[in-house]
Amino acid sequence: MLTLQSPEVVQETALRWKRETKIAFVPTMGCLHEGHLRLIRRAKELAPKVIVSIFVNPLQFGKGEDFEKYPRTLELDSESLEGLDVDLLFLPTREDLFPQSFSTAIHVDGLTTALCGEFRPGHFDGVATVCLKLFQITQADFAIFGEKDFQQLRMIQRLTADMNLPLTIVSHATVREEDGLALSSRNRYLTPEERAHATRLPESLKQVRATFQSHPEFPVEDILAPAREKLEGVGFKLDYLTIASARDLIPASGSTLAHTISEPRVFFAGRLGATRLIDNWSLAEEMT
Amino acid sequence: MLTLQSPEVVQETALRWKRETKIAFVPTMGCLHEGHLRLIRRAKELAPKVIVSIFVNPLQFGKGEDFEKYPRTLELDSESLEGLDVDLLFLPTREDLFPQSFSTAIHVDGLTTALCGEFRPGHFDGVATVCLKLFQITQADFAIFGEKDFQQLRMIQRLTADMNLPLTIVSHATVREEDGLALSSRNRYLTPEERAHATRLPESLKQVRATFQSHPEFPVEDILAPAREKLEGVGFKLDYLTIASARDLIPASGSTLAHTISEPRVFFAGRLGATRLIDNWSLAEEMT
């Protein structure tokens, strides 16, 4: 595995590869878990060359968020990637990607307005900006994103279409623990007690899906209320628990009849202690 | 010459070409004049494949500006391009580049704040957005921009560096009429009388340069005042006449001593009747 810090050298390498083959790319912030590794295995299926980046992107963290304490486990990450036969690990510094002279901002409107957009101002602009740079540097033909960050995935699809990027965005189902908790680098912030309570999150979202499917004639609020109560009961502070269409990510009002929503999904964000967790689930998919 | 409307087909074609050769690209809004043709001849020197686009970009026109009446001379343009042995003419519609679903905005800060940025809010965002799209569609290795639109050129250089676009921005000296007036598609708006008065513009900028070079110890305002008077005397309504460093495009205050400005340039924008003209000139270059 090549390990490179310089955007210029990665781009030269990628341009050379691209003349003869395809490149699949997985952007990460490191602290790799099984969710990331699955994205990378998917990348290996899609293209002969696989590039992974590790960069904790300051632009996508707000004031008071966890940029400083975000877990950095480079040695372990590097070993995992070797094991997966990754071709190139891109490890830029902040100065490499965002030098003093950097002056460009990317904003994707619409899809980023609600849900986490409301609670993390500037977050999606930061993600869009770094992803557009990374796509140019890695010359990716495919980029793989997990559905756990569903709003991010949808925004990146929009950005790719809007900017005519010659790139296919591939989505990957959320990878979960045995109890259903979505894998996230932030799960390691949870105390053992919080981790035990966190199991209520996938349970609640499953319950939302069950009620949605058995009572599609219910208004949205009646479907969500028991789940909200359960989550607050174990100490979750909710940013939102809502049903929105996967198309526009605009939360339905509480009085909307559930069956009138196209491509319905339940979306959650909230804090357990100091840890912010997010999750989302298609309401149309079959019960498992 | 291939003439194509579809961004997808142009991109496919360009990606195929790119495997074996280089591509030079000249973006235009049509109504081609000798200035454009020189950029295209330069493109021919730079790469075996040359793509020219004609698209009157609605995003870069403000309210009350001349989007509707901007001259469209497609048949003549097409003939000129055939004569120059251009490989591909890209002729997208508004719907092709900016469909209803389009939601992305690009903003380059700093360089776009002053000069025309002050008088044409949103203009440079519109230019940045369409250029980034066009670069992706045409897969350009080189893109050629004229120095007449100096602020645009500098912004595109910044955008290219910031976004790690695998692309070289090539600047081309302003092409001028015999009396020194910079070629511009908008010159055709001028009445014969206005065209006669317009000759004062290159004269005045030359005068600024002469004074700058003979009296580098003068404050900026003393260098500019006679030129301003001359221009207003023939009916120019000035947006600005100012000296700024080519590095940051921040106008020097009137009391700044001219010789303290690095890479000094004089910048002008103003109206003659209904026609907005712009021009700029390096103050360091030799007198001609």
Side-chain angles (χ1 to χ4, degrees):
Chain A
M1 180 173 71
L2 278 169
T3 299
L4 296 171
Q5 183 201 312
S6 153
E8 291 73 27
V9 178
V10 171
Q11 191 174 54
E12 273 166 35
T13 307
L15 284 166
R16 209 167 50 238
W17 287 350
K18 210 174 152 89
R19 256 180 259 142
E20 315 213 321
T21 187
K22 300 275 185 187
I23 298 170
F25 169 54
V26 182
T28 82
M29 300 208 300
C31 189
L32 303 179
H33 52 63
E34 183 58 25
H36 296 108
L37 303 188
R38 294 265 201 100
L39 301 189
I40 294 165
R41 282 189 208 107
R42 181 83 185 96
K44 293 287 298 175
E45 293 166 6
L46 288 164
K49 292 286 187 187
V50 170
I51 302 180
V52 173
S53 65
I54 296 181
F55 179 63
V56 184
N57 172 28
L59 267 61
Q60 72 189 70
F61 288 81
K63 255 190 183 168
E65 290 187 357
D66 56 343
F67 174 68
E68 295 303 335
K69 76 162 184 174
Y70 194 88
R72 283 140 171 111
T73 60
L74 185 54
E75 233 167 285
L76 285 172
D77 291 349
S78 200
E79 273 173 41
S80 305
L81 296 174
E82 289 278 10
L84 286 177
D85 199 19
V86 164
D87 297 282
L88 196 164
L89 169 58
F90 179 35
L91 272 182
T93 65
R94 182 178 186 148
E95 181 63 22
D96 289 318
L97 290 188
F98 300 113
Q100 276 295 321
S101 57
F102 187 86
S103 312
T104 301
I106 314 279
H107 176 66
V108 180
D109 210 22
L111 289 167
T112 63
T113 312
L115 305 177
C116 283
E118 199 183 326
F119 293 89
R120 305 187 70 187
H123 168 69
F124 288 112
D125 292 2
V127 173
T129 304
V130 81
C131 282
L132 188 46
K133 285 172 66 72
L134 291 170
F135 295 161
Q136 299 296 321
I137 294 166
T138 62
Q139 293 286 304
D141 296 287
F142 303 93
I144 301 95
F145 288 83
E147 286 187 354
K148 200 206 84 190
D149 301 294
F150 195 82
Q151 193 172 15
Q152 168 179 283
L153 165 67
R154 294 284 290 112
M155 177 197 69
I156 293 293
Q157 287 171 331
R158 181 78 263 151
L159 175 70
T160 300
D162 282 357
M163 289 294 110
N164 305 91
L165 306 183
L167 169 69
T168 303
I169 302 300
V170 177
S171 68
H172 191 289
T174 302
V175 182
R176 298 178 180 280
E177 303 271 13
E178 221 166 288
D179 70 346
L181 185 67
L183 294 190
S184 164
S185 305
R186 290 188 171 102
N187 290 353
R188 64 168 57 198
Y189 295 153
L190 298 169
T191 64
E193 195 196 4
E194 287 167 348
R195 177 61 190 85
H197 286 153
T199 207
R200 293 288 166 274
L201 176 52
E203 274 176 26
S204 305
L205 299 186
K206 269 193 180 173
Q207 182 186 336
V208 167
R209 189 176 59 176
T211 315
F212 176 89
Q213 295 191 357
S214 59
H215 295 284
E217 77 285 4
F218 273 16
V220 160
E221 186 47 35
D222 291 2
I223 294 176
L224 295 174
R228 185 176 296 121
E229 202 168 309
K230 181 186 265 191
L231 289 166
E232 289 174 346
V234 295
F236 272 102
K237 307 276 179 236
L238 270 59
D239 281 351
Y240 55 80
L241 174 69
T242 190
I243 295 174
S245 167
R247 291 191 191 176
D248 60 13
L249 306 186
I250 308 286
S253 75
S255 60
T256 304
L257 303 186
H259 67 86
T260 64
I261 303 168
S262 73
E263 300 180 42
R265 268 186 115 84
V266 57
F267 291 90
F268 166 88
R271 263 162 229 288
L272 198 54
T275 306
R276 190 172 189 271
L277 300 177
I278 62 173
D279 201 357
N280 70 91
W281 219 310
S282 166
L283 296 179
E285 78 193 17
E286 275 176 44
M287 300 290 286
T288 50
Chain B
M1 181 173 71
L2 277 169
T3 299
L4 296 171
Q5 182 202 313
S6 152
E8 291 73 26
V9 178
V10 172
Q11 191 174 52
E12 273 166 35
T13 308
L15 283 166
R16 210 167 49 238
W17 287 349
K18 211 173 151 92
R19 257 180 258 141
E20 313 213 322
T21 187
K22 299 273 187 190
I23 298 170
F25 170 55
V26 182
T28 82
M29 301 210 298
C31 189
L32 302 179
H33 52 62
E34 183 58 24
H36 296 109
L37 304 188
R38 295 265 201 100
L39 301 189
I40 295 165
R41 283 189 208 106
R42 182 83 186 97
K44 293 287 299 177
E45 294 166 7
L46 288 164
K49 292 287 187 187
V50 170
I51 302 180
V52 174
S53 65
I54 296 182
F55 179 63
V56 185
N57 172 27
L59 267 62
Q60 71 189 71
F61 287 81
K63 255 190 186 169
E65 289 188 357
D66 56 344
F67 174 67
E68 295 301 337
K69 76 162 184 173
Y70 195 87
R72 282 139 172 112
T73 59
L74 186 55
E75 233 167 285
L76 286 171
D77 291 350
S78 200
E79 272 172 40
S80 306
L81 297 174
E82 289 279 8
L84 286 176
D85 200 19
V86 164
D87 298 282
L88 195 164
L89 169 58
F90 178 35
L91 272 182
T93 65
R94 181 178 187 151
E95 181 63 20
D96 289 319
L97 290 188
F98 300 114
Q100 276 296 321
S101 57
F102 187 85
S103 313
T104 301
I106 313 280
H107 176 66
V108 180
D109 211 22
L111 290 167
T112 63
T113 311
L115 305 177
C116 283
E118 199 183 326
F119 292 90
R120 304 187 70 187
H123 168 71
F124 288 112
D125 291 1
V127 174
T129 304
V130 81
C131 283
L132 188 45
K133 283 174 67 74
L134 291 171
F135 295 161
Q136 299 295 320
I137 293 167
T138 63
Q139 292 288 305
D141 297 289
F142 303 94
I144 301 95
F145 289 83
E147 286 187 355
K148 201 206 83 189
D149 302 294
F150 195 83
Q151 193 172 15
Q152 168 179 283
L153 165 67
R154 293 284 290 112
M155 176 197 70
I156 294 292
Q157 288 170 331
R158 182 77 263 149
L159 175 70
T160 299
D162 282 357
M163 289 293 110
N164 304 91
L165 306 182
L167 169 69
T168 303
I169 302 300
V170 177
S171 68
H172 191 288
T174 303
V175 182
R176 299 177 181 281
E177 302 272 12
E178 223 167 286
D179 70 348
L181 184 67
L183 294 192
S184 164
S185 305
R186 290 188 172 102
N187 291 354
R188 63 167 58 197
Y189 296 153
L190 298 169
T191 65
E193 196 195 3
E194 287 167 350
R195 177 62 190 83
H197 286 152
T199 208
R200 294 287 166 274
L201 177 53
E203 273 177 26
S204 306
L205 300 185
K206 268 192 181 175
Q207 183 185 334
V208 168
R209 189 176 58 175
T211 316
F212 176 89
Q213 294 190 358
S214 59
H215 295 284
E217 76 286 4
F218 274 14
V220 160
E221 187 46 33
D222 291 2
I223 295 177
L224 295 174
R228 186 175 296 121
E229 203 169 310
K230 182 186 266 193
L231 288 165
E232 289 173 345
V234 295
F236 272 102
K237 308 277 178 237
L238 272 58
D239 281 350
Y240 55 81
L241 174 69
T242 189
I243 295 175
S245 167
R247 290 190 192 177
D248 61 12
L249 307 186
I250 308 287
S253 75
S255 60
T256 304
L257 302 185
H259 67 87
T260 65
I261 303 168
S262 73
E263 301 179 41
R265 269 187 114 83
V266 57
F267 291 90
F268 165 89
R271 262 162 230 286
L272 199 53
T275 306
R276 190 172 189 271
L277 299 176
I278 63 174
D279 201 356
N280 69 92
W281 219 311
S282 167
L283 296 180
E285 79 192 18
E286 274 176 44
M287 299 290 286
T288 50

